[in-house]
Amino acid sequence: GLREGQAVRITLKAEETTRCAGRIRQISPIVDPATGTVKVTVEAVAPQAALRPGSFVAVEIVRETHERALLVPREAIVRDLGDAYVYVANGEKAEKRTIALGLEEAGNVEALSGLTAGDQVIVAGQGGLKEGQVIKVIPAAATTSRRGPDESVLRG
């Protein structure tokens, strides 16, 4: 699944806010028989000054991209016997929605079906919720979440 020129994302381990784009420059044709690994050389495209030779980095290989994907925080998803569902705020009540899952990255999962843009997904306390149960919106400032300042967290 790897090819030369394929896009990668590079993150500096010492300072995870330092990131840049890159690409696979070379793939070794030799496979290590003991581990099954292959050496891949990656080059940074327009690296920041903090990214220097010898730095420890994390490299994510971009294998697939879905434009306009609808993302749901991983912690909002409840799994039950192979099914996945979320609770959505419908007025002051919780509505259970079965969703089909797609790609997953950085704490978010793509919802292929079952949700539409703008749905308010409950991200805390949903494990004990029941369909139609009354919910209360708690402002994000009162939580320890990673959401932006204008977003709310829904709790059951």
Side-chain angles (χ1 to χ4, degrees):
L2 301 178
R3 67 186 184 289
E4 290 181 6
Q6 188 171 1
V8 300
R9 288 185 292 249
I10 302 168
T11 304
L12 184 62
K13 290 297 241 176
E15 187 181 326
E16 293 187 358
T17 58
T18 301
R19 299 178 177 168
C20 73
R23 63 179 160 255
I24 295 176
R25 184 171 182 201
Q26 183 177 8
I27 303 170
S28 173
I30 300 169
V31 178
D32 183 330
T35 63
T37 59
V38 174
K39 185 183 269 189
V40 176
T41 303
V42 171
E43 76 178 325
V45 177
Q48 296 179 21
L51 192 62
R52 298 184 193 129
S55 298
F56 285 95
V57 297
V59 176
E60 296 175 294
I61 299 171
V62 180
R63 296 191 57 203
E64 193 173 335
T65 302
H66 290 182
E67 295 296 326
R68 301 180 51 88
L70 186 60
L71 300 178
V72 177
R74 182 182 312 141
E75 66 266 18
I77 299 169
V78 180
R79 297 173 194 262
D80 184 31
L81 300 174
D83 290 331
Y85 60 91
V86 295
Y87 283 97
V88 174
N90 186 357
E92 293 182 358
K93 297 193 176 186
E95 179 183 324
K96 183 178 178 179
R97 300 248 189 106
T98 301
I99 61 172
L101 303 177
L103 298 178
E104 184 172 342
E105 176 188 37
N108 292 310
V109 181
E110 178 184 20
L112 298 172
S113 65
L115 290 174
T116 57
D119 284 339
Q120 288 186 303
V121 176
I122 298 172
V123 297
Q126 72 278 18
L129 275 179
K130 303 265 188 274
E131 176 78 23
Q133 187 172 349
V134 175
I135 56 172
K136 178 181 177 185
V137 176
I138 299 174
T143 70
T144 58
S145 89
R146 297 173 294 178
R147 283 161 193 71
D150 296 333
E151 297 181 50
S152 296
V153 175
L154 301 175
R155 294 189 185 270

